[in-house]
Amino acid sequence: MRVPFCWLKDYVKVDESAQEVAELLQSVGVPVENIESVGAQISGVVTCKIEKAEKHPEADRLQICQVNTGKDNIQIVTAATNAREGLITAVSLHGAVLADGTKIKRTKFRGVPSEGMFCGCEEIGVDPEFFPEDKREGIVELDPSTPLGVEVQKVLPIVEDVFIIESFANRADQLSIIGVARELAAKVHRPLQMPKILEDFDNASINDEKEDLVTIEDYEACPRFMARLIKDVKVGPSPKWMARRLELAGMRSINNVVDITNYVMLETGQPLHAYNRWKLAGGRLIVRRAGEGEVITTLDGNEQKLPEGTIVIADPEKNVGVAGIMGGLDTEVEDDTAELLLESAAFASGDVRRASLRLGLRTESSSRFEKGLDIERVIFGSQRASYLLGELCGVVESKIVVKSIPNPDKESIVLRSNTLKRVLGVEIVLEKSASILRNLGFEVEILDSGDLKVQVPSFRIDIAEEIDLVEEIARHAGYDNLPNTLPDVTPGSVIFHSDAVEEKFRDMAVSLGLNEVITPSLFGLDTLEKFNIKDDVWQIINPLSEDQRVLRPYIFPSLIEVVNRNLRVRNEDLRLFELSHIYQKDGDKVKEPMRLGLVLSFVGATFFNLKGVIESMAQILGVNLTFQRTDLSWGHPGCSAQILLEGKKPIGWICVLHPVIAKELDIEQPLIFAELDIESMAKAQGVPQYKKISRYPSVERDLALVMAEDVQAGVVSARFKQIGGDLVSSVKCFDVYKGDSIEKGYKSMAFRFVLQSMDKTLTDDDISKFMKKIQKLAEREFQAKVRE
Amino acid sequence: MSVLEQLNQLRSEAEGEIVKASSQQEIDELWVRFFGRKAGELTTILRGVKDVPAEERPSVGKLANEVKAQIEELFKIQKERIYQDSLNERLASEKIDVTLPGVWNKPGRIHLLNATMRRIKEVFKGLGYSVVSGPEVETDYYNFEALNIPANHPSREMWDSFFLREGLLMRSQTSSNQIHVMEKQDPPVRIISPGKCYRRDSVDATHFWEFHQIEGLLVDEKVTFSDLKGTLELFAKGMFGSRRKTRFNPSYFPFTEPSAEVMVDCFVCEGKGCRVCKNSGWIEIMGSGMVHPHVLRNVGYDPEKYTGFAFGMGVERVAMLTYALDDIRVLFENDQRFLDQF
């Protein structure tokens, strides 16, 4: 909401600057997002006094003035007839900029030099109505007490400050300038000055069934309606001050009647609507719910199809308004309108919100109604409008009909004497609490017990219980005035960190030279297709765009997208990981296991680089992983593996990107990726137990074996290790050779054994016996031949 | 030639030859020439001493020992000289250009958001808070209702959410995890809960539809709003520097009351006013408040017995403020040149 500073000052006396007021408002929880300065950007115009004025010897209509600018005495030649000795006015000096952008320079009039120019309202962009009627022509006439030599912006309303306030969702009362003023007044301990109203409610006919100016069919939809019939209204332009204020508040001036309804809405928060009564069939209104298929053309010229049940204002023949949202075009007030029916009503907030959403029609009125209902405001708003109609449109009297439920009973809330201390941690003097609440419009009774019995004003629909009062007192006592203490927590709460596994893997991945990335957890259905993912996935039913449709079942598509984006900008050495939850369907339930996604892509990268990364992690954790050839719909069929924990439990996979997908993505360099179930890996990790280190020397022996091509090195070494037992501290295949000297369909694999005993230095005899045994085993089980 | 003459001659030969030796090999050859076991010149002379007449033997013997010692000394000196020369030569040849680039694996780095998250977590871990994660897919009850945001409440507008189906959605704030934690345990509760959140926000320089929050919750007997202030001030100092000041402005969240936004004096301009703090000298870093009695009641805690405070902050916002980022989107683009900066 836009709150012009000048308007706010109508209700509370303010000596502070706009900046200071903004800070005061912030401190009590009125969020001022910004202060906007609206108005002409003039500079170099200062207040001055004409010390002497003489006729120009060469020109009858010019005067030569000696001027005191506070600092200097200068000479100004002017044609202004009201320039005279002793006048305090405004002068633009050499270099000054005026409201229309004109730059002022020294000049000569018929040979007499002039250092600048006196200014009128137009030159400095001030509203002439700021001055009394007889002082609006010629150069400005300032108050004799005005100090000399100050910038004219400081003494005239040239730039208006407007507070941009984003009030909180629960504070319906702050969608009015009075509501904001009330907070300010309470904060600075000054009275809130309410605007003038016409106290004509006594003349109202209340719930008289014979008065059929207005009929309410559903009091839940509209608990109160105050209709005001006004004859002999003179529709015309609004006075400038009102048009200006509306403009500052972000509304357009239309005519005095419409402007009054908008002005009162901004001022009090009560939306009003004026109908041209001659266009109302039967000259009366009915509040009812729309049936099926009803329509209305609203003021904005659009035809609205009304959802069934929408609250409408109608006459006996047609709809004339969508309740609380917008009036109809047919019954709009125009320049020749002579008879008005003015509506001030309360509509059910839920209904207004739903209708506004469904119609896609959000208005100043609807945004006020949907926040909540204050039926007492209905009468005040109408009476305020009545006063202004009298002042500005010559309205002498009006006929008032009120249809309403009775005022709801006011329940009081008890604020117990110990609650403030219990919640805030500090005592607040009883009288102070009471006075804070009273300044905010609450009625407070101090009970003998020290409790406060509090009646909530109707405009504070957000206050329902004791804790709400605590907040009122805390914010006006000032949060910053409360002490800062540390909690005295009961010992015994167990400290446990659920992020430990994730952080462990993050550290490991980083230590292995990988960069962490974070990518969105949602992607498009096309991504599933691109990577040939066939999983049943969870989907978003209301995404903003199609790339937010799927809750990702894997991380790798996002990682490959990151690779691709980097390759396009020639970042070509990519070693990345991401830790994220993925989303799986478990019948009707959503499962969100944690995954580690890994990807390598650089010239020369191989499957074994990434396998090495994963093995390093396993080594650090002290868990045993094995890799088993598998098929993945996104992986190269010859270079995909399932990863098994302790030879049994599948905890992930690794692959080279399928060449067909790589081609579609236009990725030419190698791309290897993997995903790991880190929770399972971490669970397998025990506390490592110390193993004795042998004091005897170790020896290395190599053995090259020729075997059929499809024999896997991992299987062979595992078997060797099994046979070797304690004697073999490691066995690895370090070279695979296929070529001329090897028969087709076969390959040579070179294994390196590291042998060591805990008990003794191995003799040549021990070693050759062992190697013989291995050789025999290889021949028997793998049909291997020793390569000479 | 007498033995004495031979010795003197040998000495002068040795003096001339040894200093000329310029390599280990030459000096070794000279050694053999003089001291060789079979035909070394000095060895031969020494062997002849026993044939010298007995009366001359003492003087010859004396000289022989003297010459031997002198020649040995010459060898020692020359050997040392040769070693020094070759060492100097080697050192000169191994001289490198120390300004050439180093060769090692590139370091890996933690993503800026997680690095920020870690710093935040470290501060609270130090204050005895446990880290507890919760589900990202939530039911309406945990995301809204239990947090005192009933259906049709105007404040639901604060969170425009992604739905999987009616009543099942991507959590719009980590506060939902407050409920899970309190349902599972009795007070005292002292946790932080980091994680991803989702809102249907249009993307711009400060908004992304997926973002990270850290939620904090402390519930016990005797917890007060002043405790909230003290704790979060301590956090602000731990996170942004010990000289930082904090300020608390009233705010509104349905699940806390009283609610407060926490401001810290601008660590970019030291409070003088700059672009980051929009010339106010203060930066908002998080929302907070006393846990609403309705929320406590919803998890079966007695609000007459227990009070608590909760707070939540946007990790992106903290990271952007700390590292002077002007666009949230760079955090999710993962350009290598960005990742390598932090």
Side-chain angles (χ1 to χ4, degrees), chain B residues 36-141:
Chain B
R37 222 180 279 177
K38 282 180 189 160
E41 288 172 18
L42 184 61
T43 317
T44 310
I45 294 172
L46 290 176
R47 213 177 278 142
V49 172
K50 65 175 189 307
D51 302 328
V52 172
E55 65 275 17
E56 288 175 32
R57 227 178 277 163
S59 60
V60 171
K62 190 178 168 229
L63 182 67
N65 280 332
E66 213 178 280
V67 170
K68 185 178 177 232
Q70 281 169 351
I71 295 176
E72 275 174 352
E73 180 63 19
L74 284 174
F75 269 105
K76 198 181 153 199
I77 290 166
Q78 190 61 14
K79 271 187 177 171
E80 178 62 25
R81 198 174 289 151
I82 288 168
Y83 170 73
Q84 275 305 335
D85 288 351
S86 75
L87 180 65
N88 288 340
E89 197 179 318
R90 179 181 157 199
L91 292 179
S93 74
E94 286 175 356
K95 185 177 162 194
I96 54 162
D97 178 354
V98 298
T99 65
L100 286 171
V103 183
W104 191 246
N105 302 330
K106 247 183 73 169
R109 293 162 197 263
I110 295 180
H111 190 279
L112 184 59
L113 279 180
N114 279 326
T116 306
M117 193 105 96
R118 264 196 182 179
R119 293 186 49 214
I120 298 170
K121 287 194 289 192
E122 286 312 315
V123 176
F124 285 109
K125 282 180 178 177
L127 293 172
Y129 286 68
S130 291
V131 180
V132 184
S133 61
E136 291 174 23
V137 177
E138 279 292 4
T139 60
D140 185 274
Y141 178 77

Side-chain angles (χ1 to χ4, degrees), chain A residues 585-605:
Chain A
K585 269 202 161 166
D586 180 16
D588 200 28
K589 287 206 184 84
V590 188
K591 280 173 73 180
E592 303 178 21
M594 191 67 168
R595 288 286 183 270
L596 170 63
L598 300 160
V599 62
L600 296 183
S601 184
F602 48 90
V603 175

Side-chain angles (χ1 to χ4, degrees), chain A residues 154-285:
Chain A
K154 300 233 165 84
V155 294
L156 289 176
I158 289 165
V159 175
E160 294 284 2
D161 290 316
V162 180
F163 301 110
I164 313 297
I165 295 174
E166 291 277 345
S167 59
F168 294 126
N170 63 332
R171 292 299 298 272
D173 65 303
Q174 285 186 14
L175 291 174
S176 70
I177 295 173
I178 291 176
V180 173
R182 182 178 288 113
E183 290 290 341
L184 181 62
K187 174 70 188 171
V188 297
H189 308 293
R190 288 172 212 152
L192 178 71
Q193 296 143 8
M194 291 300 275
K196 284 186 186 147
I197 57 169
L198 202 64
E199 292 188 41
D200 54 7
F201 183 62
D202 294 348
N203 308 327
S205 133
I206 297 165
N207 288 344
D208 182 346
E209 288 309 320
K210 281 171 286 178
E211 281 293 351
D212 64 352
L213 209 50
V214 59
T215 310
I216 294 176
E217 288 191 356
D218 181 345
Y219 276 97
E220 253 172 53
C222 175
R224 180 165 293 178
F225 196 116
M226 183 163 183
R228 186 179 284 274
L229 170 61
I230 298 158
K231 293 185 174 172
D232 303 321
V233 67
K234 292 181 200 75
V235 179
S238 290
K240 277 191 176 170
W241 64 264
M242 180 177 272
R244 170 88 173 146
R245 282 188 171 185
L246 288 173
E247 195 186 309
L248 290 170
M251 295 192 90
R252 212 157 40 92
S253 169
I254 294 167
N255 58 49
N256 51 6
V257 171
V258 174
D259 286 358
I260 286 170
T261 62
N262 284 333
Y263 188 89
V264 173
M265 171 180 69
L266 295 172
E267 184 181 45
T268 67
Q270 173 62 44
L272 302 172
H273 188 71
Y275 300 89
N276 181 345
R277 187 168 184 243
W278 289 356
K279 300 267 182 77
L280 292 174
R284 63 191 195 90
L285 296 171

